[in-house]
Amino acid sequence: MLSEVRRKAAVRAIGVRNRVAVERDIRRVRRRHAFLRSPAGSPSRGYALAVSLTDWPYQLKLEGILLKALELEGYEPVVLTSRAAAGRARRYAAAFGCRRVLVLDDYLDGESPDVRPLLAGPLTVQRLKALEVDGAHVGRQVLSTISRNLRRGSVELESAEARAWLEQLLPNVLAVREAAERILEDLDPEIVLFNEARYAGYGSIFDVALLRGLNVIQFVSGFVDDAFVFKRYTLETRRFHPRSLGSQAWDEVRAGPWTEGMQRELDEQFEQRYAGDGTLGWQLHGWTRRRDAAEIVAELGFDPAKRTAVVFSHVLWDANLFYGEDLFEDQGEWLTETVREAAANPSVNWVVRLHPANLWKLERGTQGELDEVRAIRERVGELPPHVRLLLPESDVSAMSLFELADYALTIRGTVGVEAPCFGVPVLTAGTGHYSGRGFTEDSASVGEYRERLRRIAEIPPLSTERTELARRHAHALFCRRPIRFTSFRTVAMALERSAHPLALNLEPRVRSREELARSDDLRTFAHWALDRSGIDYLAPPCAE
């Protein structure tokens, strides 16, 4: 009893310290960058809306900067938040000169929609994924949120735990959809920004904005610090990954120049990303190092005369299910069935690389056994000597795996972009943003995928032409799609402090209103965002 009292007291003390730290951060922004609180001009072109719904300081400050860029172009900034996040959201919005903050809960009518007809009969993952209501992809939003909350790649929808989440989330998603209609009707924004765009809550607003034909943009982190990728969405493109290269941009890249300078730029990008430099690289790869392929083979006890296939597991509960059609029921089934086929095929060595992001996304020290490890043990059993797991904490770098691999496997992960740049054939188990572009081995059915795995030793390395195609694609994604921002910088705490609200923080670097107005990065973003002619931001290719 005494230990439980102490635990609760410690939790309360941490909460108090965190709140104090955030308040200090708000005061510091207001004191050091007071000019940000003043309007950048006279708004005359309409509203720019950031759909936020979060109290995470880093995202709130990033949205503040992006809204400031649009304010410089004559748009009045507006933030949409939730009641739970409103206190902190209002404080940060005000620090960036945003005086109008809408609260989603104020637009809910208080009635809980009847979802029983939608849940009648046997409910499978595929049926839930396909569930749409008035044009909104509510099923995928709910499924992804359940998976994220349960931290599981395979969700048994008939279980009491999943059913409770489903019965709570589905009415909420439908209610938010109706609230989104009222919000967007009242405000009629010229542009709508999202960071998260598809989980429950966000997804309903995202879909309604698309149905209304608004200028909808999602932004996500790039591949190096202070770089962000922007995609404009329509109803036709809403299933595309935000980091993807649309068909118009791909046509330009495929037909455009391919120079030694572009080759070097891509190689430098790979080295930078996997050296553990910067916040993102450090989070994903900071503990890894370049290892010789022969050393890895010997350490894993493999036959050096055999080729090696590397299975690059996803974070099983992450958002990948939004961005294409899967061959398997879910990402957990893909992993275990792939490992089952690997166990039955000793013609090659098999490495199963569990995603390194599990280390910080799950705060592994308090989570126990990984879902992936448990699922493999329960569904496949003891693995034979030719199949080895690499846990997230392994010090083997991704670059080492690209050099080791003769084949790579994924559903639609970034490895499908990266590994072909090294001549490695990638076998995919679902459609994605790079499917059918000539440098991956895509299967149309589970049977075709399994057959490829059984005959994997017969697949030749990529040709020079296919490897160049992959490198052109990767260069566009990694070097031309992101906007590298200089008007702010990202600051990170040590990995063990990842639960702190300021573990990732954003510090403005501009020091005056004049410097703000001259910021090329903000103008680049704003001018692209307001020109609806292009789906993807794509910088010009580098000069030789």
Side-chain angles (χ1 to χ4, degrees):
M1 180 64 182
L2 183 59
S3 61
E4 179 63 14
V5 170
R6 287 174 175 167
R7 186 191 68 81
K8 290 182 178 179
V11 169
R12 285 195 298 271
I14 291 171
V16 170
R17 286 199 297 271
N18 287 347
R19 287 193 295 273
V20 169
V22 170
E23 285 301 311
R24 286 175 177 166
D25 186 64
I26 294 170
R27 290 197 298 270
R28 185 165 56 249
V29 174
R30 292 176 62 87
R31 184 178 67 253
R32 294 183 180 176
H33 309 283
F35 65 93
L36 291 173
R37 300 202 302 272
S38 302
S42 300
S44 59
R45 302 179 66 182
Y47 296 106
L49 174 66
V51 180
S52 188
L53 309 185
T54 183
D55 65 353
W56 184 30
Y58 183 83
Q59 183 175 329
L60 293 171
K61 294 164 82 170
L62 178 57
E63 289 162 348
I65 286 281
L66 296 179
L67 287 175
K68 207 71 185 175
L70 296 171
E71 188 183 34
L72 287 166
E73 300 297 324
Y75 291 85
E76 182 176 345
V78 183
V79 168
L80 176 63
T81 187
S82 66
R83 184 171 296 156
R88 191 177 289 178
R90 289 184 192 278
R91 301 283 309 283
Y92 275 110
F96 285 87
C98 177
R99 290 168 170 76
R100 187 164 184 182
V101 176
L102 306 180
V103 179
L104 174 64
D105 307 65
D106 294 342
Y107 291 83
L108 298 171
D109 61 15
E111 295 183 9
S112 183
D114 182 8
V115 299
R116 287 173 298 180
L118 300 176
L119 300 178
L123 189 61
T124 65
V125 167
Q126 294 303 319
R127 183 186 158 206
L128 184 56
K129 283 168 69 173
L131 178 61
E132 290 189 31
V133 175
D134 296 329
H137 289 174
V138 297
R140 287 179 184 268
Q141 297 164 23
V142 168
L143 177 62
S144 62
T145 306
I146 293 174
S147 178
R148 192 180 203 182
N149 283 319
L150 296 180
R151 298 292 197 265
R152 292 177 192 161
S154 296
V155 177
E156 297 177 7
L157 292 173
E158 297 302 329
S159 70
E161 189 176 27
R163 198 75 183 187
W165 275 107
L166 182 60
E167 291 173 357
Q168 172 189 335
L169 287 171
L170 188 54
N172 178 260
V173 164
L174 296 177
V176 170
R177 190 206 177 286
E178 295 304 311
E181 291 279 10
R182 290 187 279 273
I183 292 167
L184 297 177
E185 175 70 26
D186 289 350
L187 189 67
D188 192 24
E190 292 293 321
I191 185 168
V192 188
L193 300 179
F194 291 84
N195 181 217
E196 292 285 6
R198 293 169 180 82
Y199 288 109
Y202 292 97
S204 296
I205 306 167
F206 181 71
D207 284 341
V208 170
L210 294 176
L211 288 163
R212 296 178 69 88
L214 299 178
N215 184 8
V216 176
I217 292 172
Q218 185 179 5
F219 63 93
V220 294
S221 63
F223 302 96
V224 295
D225 282 1
D226 302 331
F228 290 85
V229 175
F230 298 86
K231 182 176 283 291
R232 194 184 327 276
Y233 279 96
T234 65
L235 287 173
E236 292 71 32
T237 63
R238 63 176 160 175
R239 293 286 302 281
F240 293 179
H241 195 286
R243 294 191 183 96
S244 65
L245 197 66
S247 56
Q248 179 182 354
W250 173 232
D251 288 343
E252 175 191 332
V253 167
R254 184 172 50 185
W258 183 240
T259 67
E260 289 186 8
M262 296 165 76
Q263 294 261 25
R264 287 194 300 271
E265 193 176 25
L266 178 60
D267 290 337
E268 290 166 3
Q269 179 70 207
F270 275 118
E271 291 294 337
Q272 183 178 358
R273 290 180 62 206
Y274 292 115
D277 294 339
T279 301
L280 186 61
W282 169 72
Q283 283 184 327
L284 292 177
H285 314 290
W287 60 95
T288 67
R289 60 189 177 93
R290 200 77 166 262
R291 302 277 301 279
D292 179 73
E295 178 188 356
I296 299 170
V297 166
E299 185 176 296
L300 296 176
F302 284 156
D303 182 347
K306 294 180 181 179
R307 295 178 177 177
T308 300
V310 181
V311 180
F312 287 86
S313 177
H314 303 262
V315 176
L316 298 185
W317 44 269
D318 218 344
N320 245 327
L321 64 87
F322 290 123
Y323 303 121
E325 302 299 332
D326 298 327
L327 298 185
F328 292 90
E329 181 79 355
D330 51 45
Q331 295 182 128
E333 184 184 62
W334 164 75
L335 177 63
T336 54
E337 289 306 300
T338 298
V339 173
R340 191 188 309 279
E341 291 289 345
N345 183 359
S347 66
V348 299
N349 303 314
W350 295 85
V351 177
V352 182
R353 173 59 157 131
L354 303 186
H355 203 292
N358 280 305
L359 269 183
W360 59 275
K361 285 199 173 189
L362 280 174
E363 297 174 55
R364 275 269 286 143
T366 61
Q367 295 295 327
E369 186 178 40
L370 277 178
D371 187 44
E372 293 93 322
V373 175
R374 181 172 57 253
I376 291 170
R377 186 186 69 251
E378 293 175 352
R379 301 184 193 180
V380 182
E382 184 177 353
L383 298 178
H386 67 276
V387 183
R388 289 286 184 260
L389 296 183
L390 278 186
L391 296 177
E393 54 266 34
S394 168
D395 72 344
V396 177
S397 72
M399 286 292 287
S400 302
L401 293 177
F402 296 151
E403 293 165 350
L404 168 70
D406 296 287
Y407 319 97
L409 295 90
T410 183
I411 299 177
R412 61 180 65 84
T414 309
V415 67
V417 173
E418 297 168 310
C421 295
F422 300 86
V424 178
V426 175
L427 284 66
T428 64
T431 61
H433 61 87
Y434 49 78
S435 301
R437 291 195 164 165
F439 51 82
T440 52
E441 309 295 324
D442 304 320
S443 298
S445 66
V446 170
E448 185 179 359
Y449 176 75
R450 289 187 189 278
E451 185 60 24
R452 276 198 163 100
L453 265 60
R454 291 165 186 170
R455 301 170 63 89
I456 195 168
E458 301 173 14
I459 298 175
L462 293 190
S463 65
T464 301
E465 293 75 19
R466 296 181 73 191
T467 301
E468 181 185 305
L469 205 60
R471 290 182 70 81
R472 284 173 174 266
H473 185 270
H475 178 269
L477 254 61
F478 299 148
C479 304
R480 297 179 61 190
R481 285 281 282 116
I483 297 176
R484 188 72 179 264
F485 285 85
T486 55
S487 55
F488 60 83
R489 67 187 182 97
T490 298
V491 181
M493 294 181 177
L495 188 61
E496 57 269 19
R497 300 191 68 189
S498 61
H500 193 282
L502 300 176
L504 202 63
N505 202 358
L506 182 147
E507 293 290 344
R509 301 178 74 175
V510 288
R511 293 166 293 183
S512 68
R513 184 193 299 251
E514 293 71 28
E515 193 174 333
L516 178 74
R518 293 194 305 267
S519 297
D520 288 339
D521 55 338
L522 299 184
R523 285 205 303 268
T524 296
F525 157 69
H527 291 173
W528 172 82
L530 298 171
D531 177 3
R532 299 183 66 165
S533 62
I535 295 295
D536 299 320
Y537 172 80
L538 189 67
C542 65
E544 184 58 50

